[in-house]
Amino acid sequence: MTRRLTGFQPTGKLHLGNLIGAMRPLVQAQERPDTRSIAMIADLHAMTMEHDPAQLRANTLQVATVLLAAGVDPRRTALIAHSQVPEHSELHYLLECVTGYGEAARMIQFREKSAGSPLPGFSAPSEGPGAGSKHVRLSLLTYPVLMAADILVHDSEQVPVGDDQSQHLELARTIATRFNTRYGETFTVPEGIRPESAARVMDLADPARKMSKSSPSPAGRIGLLDSPDVIRRTIARAVTDTVGIVRDDPAGQPGVTNLLGILRACSDRELGDLHSYGALKREVTDAVEAVLTPIRTRYAELAEDPDHVRKVLSEGKAWVRPRAAETVRRTRAALGLLD
Ligand code: ADP
Ligand code: TRP
């Protein structure tokens, strides 16, 4: 049995890119008798930047509900929230003791998200150059070690990751290997896997970048819970080009290529003759609608009963904890801590 861990950050609203690139592969993997997945909502990750507690709680429940609505079956996939399984946090500290400050500070995501802040270790001056520069949480620096703990605590063998997380996955592998060499075989060294197919959905307003929760404008994103009207308008406004031919040409016609990619991902119908961008956009709208309508309907039913969603999370926790506790026990023993 191959153990797989898929993580979702509960910041902002899930979009079509998340569905095609991450949620669908997770749902499809449920059909494979040789793979067992954990779907983890990384609520602790969402606290590495300024956050609003009520919003975090709502987002965490919403992501759990959307995952269930999209077909995550809690009898086959353990659905958990990061913070509800305390072994993640315990292993996090233990792994901090085998990780270098420089290794964490080098992470691209840390450098990007902390850009504009004063040097690590110094607070922002109240006047002069750098005055008022932003506050960087220490957890933003140590977060990749928490991510390593998330992965290693469940003995995960496969971790689906997009490009932006591959450096973090590499760090998890480095930490696991270093620990095993220094303190004895303790961790399974995980492998990063890429979502199958050309699964990357690009931003509709700026097809040079991927559709992302963190993109500046909502015009580029299709939210999984957007109304049919919003979806129709978003697709109608999608950036195309002046070539006027419907074809795949990633370099010359990235917008049209992206729309074709979305169409293929959302419909298995033959693409037939699409002679105009207007016709293409209508086809894409229908196909996306056909995929999202059942998810939206199921979401509305599940959202009526948040206690049910909480119960699923609590069952997921009970399911994964014995193995996580055993990993922590092994790690503590290897490090010389009393049991
Ligand atoms: P975001 O960039 O929107 O914050 P995350 O980093 O939380 O998304 O990614 C969650 C999962 O969704 C990851 O497995 C990632 O590979 C996948 N994903 C995110 N954006 C896209 C996209 N535009 N196309 C395909 N997959 C995506
Ligand atoms: N850091 C990941 C992201 O930003 C989310 C995540 C947290 C994760 N822990 C994980 C992903 C463990 C895979 C495995 O998307």
Side-chain angles (χ1 to χ4, degrees), residues 30 56 155 205-206 293:
Q30 293 182 146
L56 174 58
D155 280 338
D206 177 6
T293 301

Side-chain angles (χ1 to χ4, degrees), residues 67-192:
L67 287 170
L68 294 172
V72 169
D73 172 359
R75 284 164 307 181
R76 290 183 285 179
T77 298
L79 179 61
I80 59 172
H82 220 176
S83 64
Q84 292 187 319
V85 179
E87 284 78 10
H88 295 123
S89 308
E90 185 168 6
L91 190 62
H92 176 196
Y93 177 75
L94 302 179
L95 296 182
E96 280 187 352
C97 301
V98 294
T99 311
Y101 166 77
E103 282 177 311
R106 236 187 343 264
M107 293 292 115
I108 295 165
Q109 201 169 73
F110 171 71
R111 294 216 313 263
E112 283 176 359
K113 290 192 176 172
S114 63
S117 70
L119 284 175
F122 295 85
S123 51
S126 56
E127 51 184 49
S133 55
K134 71 180 182 191
H135 174 76
V136 176
R137 295 185 176 184
L138 181 57
S139 55
L140 184 67
L141 174 67
T142 59
Y143 172 74
V145 189
L146 175 61
M147 178 163 158
D150 303 337
I151 295 169
L152 301 181
V153 85
H154 302 295
D155 280 338
S156 313
E157 291 155 295
Q158 295 184 340
V159 184
V161 279
D163 292 339
D164 59 334
Q165 295 301 314
S166 57
Q167 198 188 26
H168 291 163
L169 183 85
E170 239 0 89
L171 181 66
R173 289 167 52 85
T174 304
I175 293 174
T177 309
R178 176 182 303 147
F179 192 103
N180 288 347
T181 309
R182 173 78 171 77
Y183 299 105
E185 250 345 277
T186 305
F187 297 121
T188 304
V189 181
E191 208 189 310

